[in-house]
């Protein structure tokens, strides 16, 4: 495995992921509330446009697909071959995305955006401790580690095997 390449790809994709998510939030701030803690989601629900929320989700799913394709092609050109090396490449790179998502989108961003979500400006869930305990830590410690990252590894390994 080519560790310097894996780490650099992970960092690059972390930057792209966070930039695209921030652009998406700029375009659809109210619709992003569907991905926030329940208290915020419920308070903002009357102001969410369902069609715009669908556009936002398609935007993000396109980002995930582009990430997986990039990782598989990059791993191929780095000379990484075989299911398990490709799996761990995708897993490690998605873990780097998870760490950057946690630091930027979960630790830093919520304090900056609370006034952009109509109806949820005064929710207790915006407080850092609440946000971290109810959303960020469970999502990244459990959800990403045991679900998202392994799925990314399998997708990258599958695509990489097809490319070989």
């Amino acid at each position: 495995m080519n560790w310097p390449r894996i780490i650099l790809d992970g960092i690059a994709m972390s930057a792209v992921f966070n930039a695209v998510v921030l652009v998406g939030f700029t375009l659809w701030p109210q619709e992003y509330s569907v991905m926030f803690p329940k208290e915020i989601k419920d308070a903002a629900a009357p102001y969410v446009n369902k069609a715009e929320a669908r556009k936002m989700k398609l935007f993000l799913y396109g980002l995930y697909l582009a990430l997986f394709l990039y990782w598989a092609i990059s791993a191929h050109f780095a000379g990484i071959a075989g299911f398990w090396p490709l799996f761990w490449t995708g897993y490690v790179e998605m873990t780097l995305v998870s760490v950057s998502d946690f630091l930027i989108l979960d630790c830093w961003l919520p304090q900056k955006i609370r006034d952009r979500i109509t109806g949820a400006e005064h929710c207790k869930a915006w407080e850092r401790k609440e946000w971290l305990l109810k959303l960020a830590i469970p999502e990244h410690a459990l959800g990403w580690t045991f679900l998202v990252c392994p799925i990314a590894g399998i997708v990258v390994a599958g695509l990489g095997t097809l490319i070989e």
Side-chain angles (χ1 to χ4, degrees):
M1 292 186 31
N2 187 341
W3 286 105
R5 176 75 176 256
I6 291 168
I7 292 169
L8 288 174
D9 276 353
I11 292 170
M13 296 303 8
S14 295
V16 169
F17 175 85
N18 285 297
V20 170
V21 169
L22 289 171
V23 165
F25 179 78
T26 302
L27 295 172
W28 302 288
Q30 192 69 32
E31 285 67 27
Y32 258 73
S33 66
V34 300
M35 299 176 357
F36 292 161
K38 186 174 177 11
E39 180 186 358
I40 296 170
K41 199 182 307 186
D42 291 345
Y47 305 99
V48 172
N49 179 323
K50 302 277 189 229
E52 292 295 309
R54 210 168 305 119
K55 282 184 194 176
M56 180 265 305
K57 287 180 181 178
L58 287 173
F59 182 73
L60 290 178
Y61 296 149
L63 167 65
Y64 289 136
L65 179 61
L67 285 173
F68 293 145
L69 288 172
Y70 173 81
W71 285 334
I73 292 167
S74 177
H76 174 73
F77 285 115
I80 300 170
F83 182 85
W84 288 110
L86 286 166
F87 171 84
W88 288 113
T89 297
Y91 187 95
V92 169
E93 290 173 350
M94 187 57 98
T95 299
L96 291 170
V97 171
S98 174
V99 169
S100 72
D101 178 342
F102 176 76
L103 294 173
I104 295 170
L105 301 178
D106 288 325
C107 291
W108 174 76
L109 187 64
Q111 305 308 309
K112 307 289 183 210
I113 63 171
R114 70 187 319 159
D115 294 331
R116 298 201 57 200
I117 307 295
T118 305
E121 301 90 340
H122 305 293
C123 290
K124 185 180 180 204
W126 287 115
E127 294 173 14
R128 186 177 313 275
K129 183 178 177 184
E130 275 298 301
W131 185 277
L132 291 174
L133 291 177
K134 294 208 172 163
L135 178 76
I137 292 172
E139 178 182 303
H140 290 281
L142 300 173
W144 281 69
T145 303
F146 297 112
L147 186 65
V148 177
C149 293
I151 289 171
I154 290 169
V155 171
V156 169
L159 291 171
T161 304
L162 289 174
I163 293 172
E164 287 178 22

